[in-house]
């Protein structure tokens, strides 16, 4: 029922946008009516610019590097003789080593527009952004260039009905955004496995496009607002160290959203059994069997993450624990992860928060695949969910004032994004913030 209602709401958004566009389109037509005959006369080959060339000036041949292809083979196939090929390769070698052509990468030949279709230019694309031009139409020269990159800022809002991924998915938003919110921004403050119906969020993020058209994914999240159990959680992206390029998310009071410990060692698992000193188990005749860990159920093979930076003190297999890893984080804290199918770290190894230290399994004493997460404070096992865990590196006093100034307009922007469709009209649809060509 609820999801149906959401869909309907979604449709209303669409209709609204369509109406707005409709109005713009109508206006244009009124101003300048275009007759069909007129269109036929005006028509003229449009400039198609790519790689800095007007493609209309050439016969364009596109292909990908195939097995057995080399620069020489490709040019020879296109009627260029070996002495010239050798000459081109020699001249181009300071910019691009033609032996570096990789199987499956696209290339383009710009050929003369006569019956001979002689190649004039070879353009190779080692990746989506870069391209190498070997131009031999007059003198031979080669250079590497980049396609223009465009960042488009977008906003999105959502109200949780089931899960964050489903809510974003319904709006056609990439799961990357879910991961950024769950793992990068709110991993320490909000438990995304326990979101509540009615929790809601607003996000300002940027999409990255190459050449205006190729969508390469979400670039970053500039700011977010998450209302969990009626409590607001602001997050603003801020670079605290321009030299090292350290970026963190802070709240409206300049508090770091990161904590020394992650809330969960697995990404989207489910807590199947909590820390409970008074647990009794039927299998053991209801004898007292305290559970000093928190069990997260997840399929075998699910990556298990270190919840904080530290040094591996044990990576072994022992009795009921099965295969496990234990990490010492500092003089006070240790964590332990049991029943792995296999470990991914060795004793003595330093691990960073979020590193995969092993995979969920069923080794040792366990009825199903899960990781038993144990949290040690001063050598005693405690319930991590009842601990007040330390904050990660706070912002320096000197930066704090600067930060608060920086977030003012962004917070304002966030606060002016509304959840209800009636307020949609007031929402700026999207704005281009940056256009880079380097
Ligand atoms: Zn357990």
């Amino acid at each position: 029922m609820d999801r149906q209602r959401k869909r309907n709401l979604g449709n209303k958004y669409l209709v609204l946008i369509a109406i707005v566009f409709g109005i713009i389109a109508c206006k244009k037509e009124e101003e300048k009516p275009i007759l069909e005959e007129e269109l036929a006369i005006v028509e003229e080959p449009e400039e198609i610019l790519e790689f800095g060339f007007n493609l209309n000036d050439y016969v364009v041949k596109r292909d990908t590097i195939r097995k057995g292809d080399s620069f020489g083979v490709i040019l020879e196939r296109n009627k260029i003789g070996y002495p010239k090929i050798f000459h081109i390769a020699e001249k181009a070698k300071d910019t691009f080593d033609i032996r570096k052509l990789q199987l499956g990468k696209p290339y383009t030949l710009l050929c003369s527009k006569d019956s001979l279709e002689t190649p004039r230019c070879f353009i190779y694309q080692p990746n989506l952004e870069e391209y190498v031009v070997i131009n031999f139409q007059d003198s031979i020269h080669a250079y590497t260039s980049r396609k223009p990159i465009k960042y488009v800022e977008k906003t999105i809002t959502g109200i949780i009905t089931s899960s964050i991924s489903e809510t974003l998915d319904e709006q056609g938003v990439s799961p990357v955004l879910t991961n950024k919110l769950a793992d990068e921004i709110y991993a320490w403050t909000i438990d995304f496995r326990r979101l509540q119906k009615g929790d809601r969020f607003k996000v300002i993020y940027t999409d990255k496009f190459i050449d205006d058209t190729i969508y390469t994914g979400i670039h970053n999240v500039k700011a977010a607002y998450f209302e969990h159990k009626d409590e607001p959680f602001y997050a603003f992206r801020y670079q605290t160290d321009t030299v090292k390029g350290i970026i963190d998310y802070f709240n409206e009071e300049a508090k770091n959203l990161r904590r020394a410990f992650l809330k969960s060692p697995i990404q989207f698992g489910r807590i199947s059994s909590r820390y409970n000193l008074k647990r009794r188990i039927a299998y053991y005749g209801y004898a007292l069997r305290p559970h000093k860990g928190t069990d997260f159920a997840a399929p075998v093979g699910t990556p298990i993450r270190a919840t904080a930076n530290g040094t591996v003190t044990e990576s072994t297999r022992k009795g009921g624990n099965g295969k496990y890893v234990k990490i010492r984080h500092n003089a006070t804290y240790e964590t332990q992860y049991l029943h792995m199918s296999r470990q991914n770290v060795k004793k003595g190894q330093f691990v960073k928060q979020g590193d995969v230290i092993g995979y969920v399994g069923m080794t040792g004493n366990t009825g199903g695949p899960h990781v038993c997460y144990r949290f040690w404070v001063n050598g005693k096992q405690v319930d991590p969910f009842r601990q007040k865990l330390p904050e990660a590196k706070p912002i320096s006093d000197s930066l704090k004032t600067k930060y608060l100034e920086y977030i003012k307009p962004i917070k304002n922007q966030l606060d002016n994004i509304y959840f209800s469709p009636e307020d949609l009209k007031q929402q700026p649809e999207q704005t281009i913030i940056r256009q880079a060509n380097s």
Side-chain angles (χ1 to χ4, degrees), residues 291 295 370 372 374:
H291 185 220
D295 291 345
H370 76 277
C372 183
R374 303 196 162 201

Side-chain angles (χ1 to χ4, degrees), residues 17 29 31 47 56 77 85 90 176 188 198 214 217 225 269 338 351 407:
I17 292 165
E29 266 172 42
E31 278 167 15
E47 268 203 345
N56 278 330
R77 200 160 56 214
I85 292 170
E90 263 303 295
V176 172
W188 299 266
I214 307 164
Y225 169 89
L338 315 183
V351 289
I407 67 159

Side-chain angles (χ1 to χ4, degrees), residues 272-275 279 290-296 338-339 365-366 370-374:
S272 48
S273 171
R274 287 184 171 278
Y275 179 95
R279 182 175 70 164
H291 185 220
K292 292 185 172 176
T294 308
D295 291 345
F296 294 88
L338 315 183
H339 315 308
N365 222 342
T366 162
H370 76 277
V371 54
C372 183
Y373 176 56
R374 303 196 162 201

Side-chain angles (χ1 to χ4, degrees), residues 205-222:
Y205 65 99
T206 44
D207 270 341
K208 184 179 175 183
F209 292 87
I210 296 174
D211 236 7
D212 260 354
T213 46
I214 307 164
Y215 175 61
T216 62
I218 289 171
H219 179 59
N220 66 42
V221 173
K222 184 175 162 189

Side-chain angles (χ1 to χ4, degrees), residues 273-313:
S273 171
R274 287 184 171 278
Y275 179 95
N276 179 5
L277 294 178
K278 294 185 185 116
R279 182 175 70 164
R280 288 174 192 276
I281 291 183
Y283 181 81
Y284 297 108
Y286 295 98
L288 196 61
R289 286 262 166 171
H291 185 220
K292 292 185 172 176
T294 308
D295 291 345
F296 294 88
V300 170
T302 305
I304 299 169
R305 310 173 297 179
T307 52
N309 294 357
T311 304
V312 177
T313 50

